[in-house]
Amino acid sequence: AQICNLLDGVPLALELAAAATATFSVQEIAGRLDAHLLRASPIERTTDPRHASIADAIAWSYQLLLPAEQRLLVQLAVFAGGWTVEAMQQVCTGATDCSAVLHQLVQKSLVQADPGQPSFGHMRFHLLRAVREYAAEQLAANGEKDGVRSRHFDYYARLGIALGDEVLGSNHNAAMAGLDADHANIQAALAYGRSQAHLA
């Protein structure tokens, strides 16, 4: 169950993890996945490089994206626990219509839509763990990380304050639902804010 959770139930990821049982116990696989250490050998599947490892499969998919799709996917890695279109429009830059680009990423299964978890009537989106880790690596390498994290901090600091102000009022239930939905993002924003304060 832990392995399935760590791999978000992705069939290819589960197949690669299953192949690793020739080398590791189930407990060791879970531990290595949690530490981001598991990589399958290319000879464990076909010679197709897309199937050499989960990271290779994601990298192959990433290379097929248009430049605007690549840039948005990389910037989306800053979100923790999902996001709304409004949040994306405030945090991500580079696309004239990032909503249209988001739609393309959903169509290509690189972004997941959560229709069952509406936040104030809005659809929420998230990245599977393996996709987010790959995108985060690209974000760290392309020099945009500080700008994206700063915009993420600004947006969620304002959102946290606004929702906090409403918790004791007539919109208590909606405010609490909003705080619950974006708890991970608010925590990530606070952590970034503290790290920047220490540098000042």
Side-chain angles (χ1 to χ4, degrees):
Q2 182 184 0
I3 291 171
C4 289
N5 286 333
L6 288 169
L7 295 176
D8 294 308
V10 177
L12 173 61
L14 293 171
E15 185 177 348
L16 292 168
T21 58
T23 307
F24 305 107
S25 70
V26 174
Q27 291 78 11
E28 287 173 322
I29 291 171
R32 292 176 70 83
L33 282 170
D34 203 31
H36 318 298
L37 297 175
L38 187 65
R39 291 292 184 270
S41 167
I43 63 171
E44 289 176 358
R45 282 185 53 92
T46 69
T47 56
D48 189 332
R50 291 172 292 169
H51 298 156
S53 74
I54 299 165
D56 290 333
I58 295 169
W60 180 82
S61 297
Y62 176 80
Q63 294 303 320
L64 295 178
L65 297 176
L66 296 173
E69 294 170 338
Q70 289 181 343
R71 187 173 188 194
L72 181 60
L73 180 66
V74 164
Q75 292 185 28
L76 292 173
V78 75
F79 291 103
W83 67 89
T84 62
V85 169
E86 178 188 354
M88 175 190 68
Q89 291 171 333
Q90 295 296 316
V91 174
C92 301
T93 63
T96 53
D97 184 2
C98 57
S99 296
V101 179
L102 175 68
H103 176 72
Q104 293 302 315
L105 293 174
V106 171
Q107 293 295 104
K108 295 175 181 180
S109 299
L110 287 166
V111 170
Q112 309 299 306
D114 297 326
Q117 299 179 12
S119 175
F120 299 109
H122 300 295
M123 183 82 76
R124 290 187 67 84
F125 302 86
H126 74 276
L127 298 177
L128 295 177
R129 174 181 169 162
V131 175
R132 184 171 185 260
E133 289 176 356
Y134 179 85
E137 290 174 0
Q138 300 303 309
L139 181 62
N142 71 9
E144 289 190 309
K145 183 176 180 179
D146 287 340
V148 177
R149 290 195 70 188
S150 178
R151 292 191 297 274
H152 180 272
F153 169 79
D154 290 341
Y155 177 80
Y156 283 103
R158 291 195 305 271
L159 180 65
I161 291 170
L163 292 175
D165 288 343
E166 295 184 1
V167 165
L168 298 179
S170 59
N171 291 327
H172 170 80
N173 291 338
M176 289 301 297
L179 289 170
D180 286 343
D182 274 312
H183 179 262
N185 278 308
I186 294 170
Q187 288 291 99
L190 289 173
Y192 175 76
R194 285 193 297 268
S195 71
Q196 295 303 106
H198 291 156
L199 294 176

